[in-house]
Amino acid sequence: SKSNSDIKSSSDIKPENDIKPDSDTWPVWATEPVLIVPYDPSWPAKAAQYKEDLIKSLSSLGIHNIEHIGSTAVPGLAAKPIIDLAVLIPSFDPIDEIARLLQPLDWHYVPLELDGRPERRFFVKVENDKRSAHLHFLLPNSPVWKEKLRFRDYLINNPSAREQYTQLKMNLSQQHSQDREAYTAAKTEFITGSIRPRIIFATNNAHKVEEIQAAIGARLEIITLRQAGIDIDIPEPHDTLEANATEKSMTIHRLTGTNCFSEDTGLEVPSLGGEPGVKSARYAGEDRAFEKNIEKLLNKLAAISPASAQPASTPSASLTDSTRSARFRTVISLIWNGQEHFFEGICNGHILPAPTGEGGFGYDPVFVPEGETRSFAQMSMEEKNLYSHRRKAADQLVTFLQSQTSN
């Protein structure tokens, strides 16, 4: 094994993610096991000293934005005793000059072909045959920079998450004590879930959340009012979907000051003057029982079109009865950075004479979208999303959010 004094050439250094414990030609620190130790109050001071030395050495290149990242930057968090620092630089072009300037400080450059991570340039500092610090050079538009800072701050501000992460690392360090790459990869799900931006959906309806989350995908995490710690019943007193959606989103925004959205959806039957409309959820009473809502709807349609009201009628037969034409309409009100944005989705179709299917919720058992012979309640979530009013509105919401969160 090579001693610390022997490690002067970048060719001596193997990347952290490629280290294999059976190598007998690499330096001692390159094959050291994963070791998690209790939080050391001296870590912030060490990071500050490293930063000071780095700024002095790199000031001629205009480099000054250095952040203490990783677990050692989180007070109270157990960690590998290695200080991680992130440095923001406008370009990787001067990396050879940076390596020359940092060599007297015993920072060892890991060439890109060995590191294998093109989003960064990587240095390792070694003391007493052990890694003492890592240095990550990142570009201003790098999502890695934002993610590392976001995760650090998330752990600092969330004691319960800090405890969960500590326990996870302790368990993984025992499972992968000789494999740093496996240890790091096993933490990815927790980290990704923690730093994924969240947005409050002003509902506690699990079915609505499932549909919207399916449309949005993994870019944002949708959380309910209950998950956001909000326990209020927001009234829907208005006579339009737009006004009710605004009522809910504005209420949550006033309470939290954060980005949020709400939706209001109505089933609109022209032959009934647009009923149930904004009263869709309370059509048969305030108890919001959809079995009763459906029963009232079918009874009212039967009263104006008795011939098509027989349970034996087929879906195709009801297509010829214009009195049973209907549409679902969803309006989303998004409060983003203090500004309100509306998105609308419409699904045209018709009402069946009797409920059909076991899936879905609300009026799904009696609604057949245009181009189909099955009710929403007979479809899988994926099939329903091909037609869904809520999905159409959510797609517009997603397009907007992607434009706002792409950088």
Side-chain angles (χ1 to χ4, degrees):
S1 297
K2 301 179 183 179
S3 68
N4 183 44
S5 59
D6 292 329
I7 306 167
K8 293 300 180 184
S9 170
S10 61
S11 62
D12 290 326
I13 303 175
K14 301 297 179 183
E16 179 185 31
N17 56 324
D18 281 344
I19 289 174
K20 304 299 180 186
D22 58 352
S23 173
D24 58 3
T25 60
W26 296 343
V28 174
W29 57 265
T31 59
E32 61 183 306
V34 177
L35 175 65
I36 303 298
V37 301
Y39 177 76
D40 186 338
S42 71
W43 286 339
K46 290 181 179 178
Q49 185 61 58
Y50 289 151
K51 287 169 61 175
E52 181 179 342
D53 294 341
L54 286 167
I55 290 174
K56 287 180 180 178
S57 296
L58 303 177
S59 59
S60 62
L61 299 177
I63 295 174
H64 56 82
N65 197 345
I66 303 176
E67 290 279 352
H68 183 193
I69 59 171
S71 296
T72 59
V74 181
L77 181 63
K80 298 192 300 291
I82 302 171
I83 306 296
D84 277 273
L85 299 170
V87 185
L88 206 60
I89 56 175
S91 167
F92 290 143
D93 291 344
I95 200 67
D96 289 337
E97 176 65 8
I98 290 172
R100 186 186 67 79
L101 292 171
L102 294 186
Q103 189 171 12
L105 296 179
D106 214 20
W107 285 102
H108 306 287
Y109 177 45
V110 180
L112 178 59
E113 61 269 20
L114 295 179
D115 183 37
R117 300 181 186 180
E119 74 277 6
R120 73 176 184 183
R121 297 298 182 266
F122 188 54
F123 288 74
V124 175
K125 190 176 184 64
V126 180
E127 297 175 357
N128 300 319
D129 280 340
K130 293 183 181 294
R131 299 165 183 253
S132 62
H134 293 155
L135 195 54
H136 311 254
F137 283 88
L138 301 167
L139 301 177
N141 62 351
S142 169
V144 177
W145 172 269
K146 297 177 182 178
E147 290 166 3
K148 287 184 179 296
L149 295 183
R150 190 184 302 142
F151 185 56
R152 178 198 66 185
D153 295 344
Y154 172 76
L155 292 176
I156 290 174
N157 295 316
N158 291 271
S160 62
R162 194 160 59 241
E163 291 177 8
Q164 294 175 34
Y165 191 49
T166 295
Q167 189 58 54
L168 174 65
K169 293 201 301 176
M170 296 296 290
N171 293 339
L172 293 178
S173 68
Q174 295 176 12
Q175 296 175 30
H176 307 292
S177 63
Q178 301 298 325
D179 192 336
R180 286 175 174 268
E181 183 180 1
Y183 167 81
T184 299
K187 297 186 298 179
T188 299
E189 183 177 352
F190 182 92
I191 295 172
T192 302
S194 300
I195 64 177
R196 182 170 55 166
R198 292 182 170 186
I199 188 168
I200 301 173
F201 184 6
T203 186
N204 282 316
N205 187 315
H207 294 289
K208 291 182 178 181
V209 172
E210 182 182 9
E211 284 194 9
I212 295 288
Q213 186 70 73
I216 287 180
R219 180 178 291 272
L220 291 170
E221 180 181 4
I222 306 302
I223 63 171
T224 64
L225 293 175
R226 189 174 296 112
Q227 290 172 319
I230 300 171
D231 185 19
I232 61 172
D233 186 16
I234 305 174
E236 299 174 327
H238 305 290
D239 58 3
T240 68
L241 299 178
E242 289 81 0
N244 281 334
T246 295
E247 179 79 24
K248 290 183 283 189
S249 61
M250 286 295 190
T251 298
I252 300 306
H253 184 66
R254 284 195 297 269
L255 288 173
T256 65
T258 62
N259 296 326
C260 61
F261 72 94
S262 68
E263 63 88 32
D264 203 20
T265 294
L267 175 66
E268 300 172 344
V269 182
S271 63
L272 298 179
E275 292 184 5
V278 295
K279 296 182 179 179
S280 292
R282 305 178 300 279
Y283 195 38
E286 291 299 324
D287 61 353
R288 296 173 179 252
F290 269 100
E291 295 82 0
K292 295 180 181 178
N293 291 338
I294 289 174
E295 182 181 3
K296 179 178 179 178
L297 173 67
L298 297 181
N299 287 338
K300 294 195 75 168
L301 283 173
I304 62 174
S305 180
S308 66
Q310 301 303 316
S313 298
T314 64
S316 58
S318 64
L319 278 170
T320 63
D321 184 0
S322 61
T323 63
R324 307 192 78 83
S325 294
R327 71 175 187 175
F328 271 120
R329 188 164 71 94
T330 290
V331 174
I332 291 177
S333 166
L334 168 70
I335 309 299
W336 186 263
N337 295 336
Q339 299 294 317
E340 184 175 23
H341 305 267
F342 284 107
F343 309 97
E344 182 186 62
I346 294 174
C347 178
N348 293 307
H350 65 275
I351 303 299
L352 292 172
T356 306
E358 302 296 328
F361 67 102
Y363 294 94
D364 284 359
V366 294
F367 184 84
V368 176
E370 280 185 355
E372 260 289 348
T373 58
R374 297 174 298 164
S375 74
F376 271 161
Q378 293 175 288
M379 299 180 186
S380 66
M381 176 68 73
E382 292 75 16
E383 292 172 321
K384 180 179 178 181
N385 276 337
L386 295 175
Y387 305 95
S388 171
H389 45 292
R390 189 169 286 110
R391 176 60 182 264
K392 291 174 182 177
D395 283 346
Q396 298 172 45
L397 171 69
V398 170
T399 298
F400 175 83
L401 292 175
Q402 287 176 340
S403 72
Q404 300 297 305
T405 61
S406 58
N407 293 327

